[in-house]
Amino acid sequence: MVEENDHSSMEVINPATGEETESYEEDDWAEIDTALDRAVDTFEDWRQRSVREREQFLVDLADVIRDEKHHYAELMTREMGKPISQAIAEIEKCAWLCDHYASHAGTYLQEEQHPSPPGTSVKTVHDPLGPVLAVMPWNFPFWQALRFSVPYITAGNVGLLKHASNVPGCALAIEELYEKAGYPEGVFQTLVVGSDPVDDILADERIRAATLTGSGPAGRAVASKAGEQLKKTVLELGGSDPFVVLEDADLDAAVETGTRARNQNGGQSCIAAKRFIVVDDVYDEYIDRFTEEFEALTIGDPMDEETDVGPQARRDLMEGLHEQVIASVDAGATAITGGEPLDREGAYYPPTILADVPENCPASDEELFGPVAAVFRVADESAAIEMANDTQFGLGASVWTEDRDRGERVAREIDAGCVYVNQLVKSDPRVPFGGVKESGYGRELSGIGIKEFVNRKTVWVE
């Protein structure tokens, strides 16, 4: 447990320059304890508010987000290196999320009537659970935190965020967002803490549920500790998403979208396309054009709107990625382009394509969390499906064919939480999002997501 008055600090390193830009004092246990008490007290009032009233808060939250989107985008770029144009798009997506639930939360949470004997009334109501702890990653620092908090808070819960240690400024800015939108104090709180106190926070009786987006080991740790306390969890973990290109695909679109699906956010996304599975008939043309697109991307200062690929979020992460590339090449893979860190300040790794990737190497078996595409040649559709499913992960998948019926049939045969035909994998407020296998469980977003942390209470009136 974090000892009272034992303050340490989080240093923010700008990944584009390697320079320290800010330092934030971490919360000690006394401050965590106060935040937990505040969450419980606030919940007792917040849960009594009508859904319509909570929807109106979302309208105000969306306004605050839009009014200050450039400020928040620049903060994100300084802390984790996302190209500024993509950072602005992330902030705008957060506002859209608020718009969606402002319009549809009441419908999603409507009482459900059931058949019952004459003269009785039987229904299901959706009561909130209480304070929800969220352990969130740095790669989409605003979207991930809003994606959990907007639906859960609108359902009547209150949220506590333990964000990644390299984005404390973003974490505190999100708390500020809720304050500026007029939410009661304690509806959303940021805990500026590292990983050490998480187990104790999870075990605390004031926390009623938890959600995590992050690595498999982190997910297992949270699920294990929460399970000991019989607390509900939702986990969105890693992915090694297949991007399947069949012989009748629109290659223009498959090359353009595939390049974006692998390289946006510096390739640092659970749902980025990672394993490109291309049938033999179009493999040579695809990889030639794919390489041209990769090499045409602009690598540079993430504050420049012309930049396509900025730095990796941390130097140690870039070094780990490079180790995976080296191990894959040593095992027999061929680096068609890229494959070496750039000789410049900052944690820059170039868009990289690995071909001839053998079995049992990092590029085939592990998640490569950076701008590295592993390309595989397969004989036909059947082999493509088999390879797509030959992974411990099951988050998303993308299938490319001009035959929509064929695309849907193939999509049904791929083991993943979501499969997009002729589109990149994305999280969208209107549809459920989540994975299977080692990619986690539970769903976020849409009507299903807002009900993950409610008590589906049966009320029978005789």
Side-chain angles (χ1 to χ4, degrees):
M1 183 179 291
V2 178
E3 294 297 330
E4 189 170 345
N5 299 322
D6 179 21
H7 283 286
S8 53
S9 61
M10 289 183 184
E11 282 70 43
V12 174
I13 306 297
N14 185 331
T17 64
E19 297 175 350
E20 181 179 327
T21 59
E22 291 284 351
S23 181
Y24 294 84
E25 190 175 83
E26 293 189 30
D27 294 333
D28 62 19
W29 186 259
E31 289 161 322
I32 296 169
D33 190 57
T34 299
L36 291 172
D37 276 345
R38 185 183 298 118
V40 171
D41 291 343
T42 302
F43 173 63
E44 291 307 315
D45 170 70
W46 183 247
R47 69 183 303 180
Q48 303 301 328
R49 307 282 187 111
S50 69
V51 176
R52 294 302 177 198
E53 187 177 354
R54 296 196 291 259
E55 287 177 334
Q56 184 57 49
F57 277 102
L58 285 180
V59 174
D60 298 336
L61 184 60
D63 288 343
V64 174
I65 291 171
R66 290 190 170 98
D67 287 346
E68 303 198 40
K69 68 178 180 181
H70 291 283
H71 166 66
Y72 293 126
E74 289 170 2
L75 172 61
M76 189 190 317
T77 297
R78 285 195 303 273
E79 288 199 327
M80 54 73 60
K82 189 188 302 287
I84 189 65
S85 59
Q86 297 174 31
I88 291 170
E90 178 174 335
I91 300 297
E92 290 172 340
K93 188 173 183 180
C94 292
W96 175 37
L97 173 75
C98 296
D99 294 341
H100 177 78
Y101 280 105
S103 297
H104 300 290
T107 300
Y108 289 150
L109 295 169
Q110 276 185 338
E111 298 173 350
E112 300 170 11
Q113 300 292 329
H114 303 292
S116 61
T120 65
S121 169
V122 181
K123 60 188 177 182
T124 295
V125 298
H126 304 100
D127 290 347
L129 298 181
V132 179
L133 175 68
V135 181
M136 291 288 118
W138 47 262
N139 57 335
F140 291 89
F142 278 78
W143 171 247
Q144 300 283 10
L146 272 293
R147 190 173 80 185
F148 109 79
S149 59
V150 162
Y152 298 163
I153 286 173
T154 307
N157 300 293
V158 298
L160 296 108
L161 169 66
K162 178 267 179 275
H163 219 323
S165 296
N166 59 330
V167 290
C170 291
L172 290 167
I174 296 164
E175 182 178 80
E176 178 186 79
L177 275 176
Y178 279 94
E179 291 172 356
K180 288 183 175 180
Y183 280 81
E185 183 183 16
V187 166
F188 180 96
Q189 299 179 84
T190 284
L191 304 176
V192 184
V193 296
S195 299
D196 289 345
V198 170
D199 275 2
D200 289 324
I201 297 170
L202 274 171
D204 193 287
E205 65 181 5
R206 290 167 289 185
I207 293 294
R208 300 309 311 145
T211 181
L212 175 140
T213 298
S215 69
R220 289 177 184 277
V222 165
S224 176
K225 179 56 66 173
E228 290 176 11
Q229 311 296 323
L230 294 179
K231 294 178 181 179
K232 175 76 179 290
T233 52
V234 169
L235 304 179
E236 195 266 279
L237 308 178
S240 187
D241 285 8
F243 189 97
V244 176
V245 182
L246 301 176
E247 73 280 354
D248 61 347
D250 177 343
L251 289 189
D252 289 340
V255 168
E256 179 185 354
T257 304
T259 301
R260 183 158 49 96
R262 176 61 282 199
N263 291 288
Q264 65 179 352
N265 201 37
Q268 301 163 122
S269 171
C270 298
I271 53 171
K274 294 179 179 132
R275 295 178 299 130
F276 289 76
I277 301 168
V278 186
V279 298
D280 185 65
D281 288 353
V282 294
Y283 177 89
D284 290 333
E285 182 180 358
Y286 187 84
I287 201 166
D288 286 347
R289 295 172 62 179
F290 198 41
T291 302
E292 289 177 6
E293 289 287 323
F294 266 51
E295 292 177 345
L297 293 170
T298 300
I299 308 167
D301 179 359
M303 285 293 186
D304 186 338
E305 291 191 358
E306 299 302 312
T307 293
D308 297 312
V309 180
Q312 299 295 278
R314 298 198 314 258
R315 178 165 289 278
D316 64 305
L317 297 173
M318 181 197 72
E319 291 169 349
L321 175 68
H322 187 49
E323 289 173 4
Q324 291 176 301
V325 170
I326 291 173
S328 299
V329 171
D330 287 346
T334 302
I336 301 297
T337 188
E340 291 286 344
L342 297 182
D343 184 16
R344 59 184 294 174
E345 288 185 347
Y348 284 89
Y349 204 84
T352 297
I353 296 175
L354 300 179
D356 308 315
V357 178
E359 296 179 355
N360 302 318
C361 76
S364 62
D365 296 346
E366 301 173 9
E367 179 177 27
L368 271 58
F369 212 67
V372 180
V375 187
F376 301 84
R377 184 197 299 261
V378 293
D380 53 24
E381 174 193 297
S382 177
I385 294 169
E386 181 179 357
M387 179 168 281
N389 289 331
D390 186 19
T391 175
Q392 63 183 319
F393 300 106
L395 191 52
S398 185
V399 177
W400 291 79
T401 170
E402 292 208 279
D403 183 335
R404 291 164 59 95
D405 291 336
R406 182 190 191 191
E408 183 171 349
R409 176 176 53 76
V410 171
R412 294 297 298 270
E413 295 187 48
I414 293 178
D415 298 328
C418 51
V419 184
Y420 283 74
V421 179
N422 299 327
Q423 180 58 274
L424 54 76
V425 179
K426 54 190 174 181
S427 57
D428 182 311
R430 298 167 295 188
V431 296
F433 178 81
V436 295
K437 301 193 288 188
E438 295 290 318
S439 292
Y441 54 74
R443 292 294 179 267
E444 296 178 299
L445 302 176
S446 75
I448 293 175
I450 199 173
K451 294 179 187 176
E452 281 284 12
F453 290 135
V454 299
N455 173 17
R456 297 174 175 87
K457 181 191 294 182
T458 297
V459 177
W460 181 302
V461 180
E462 189 70 28

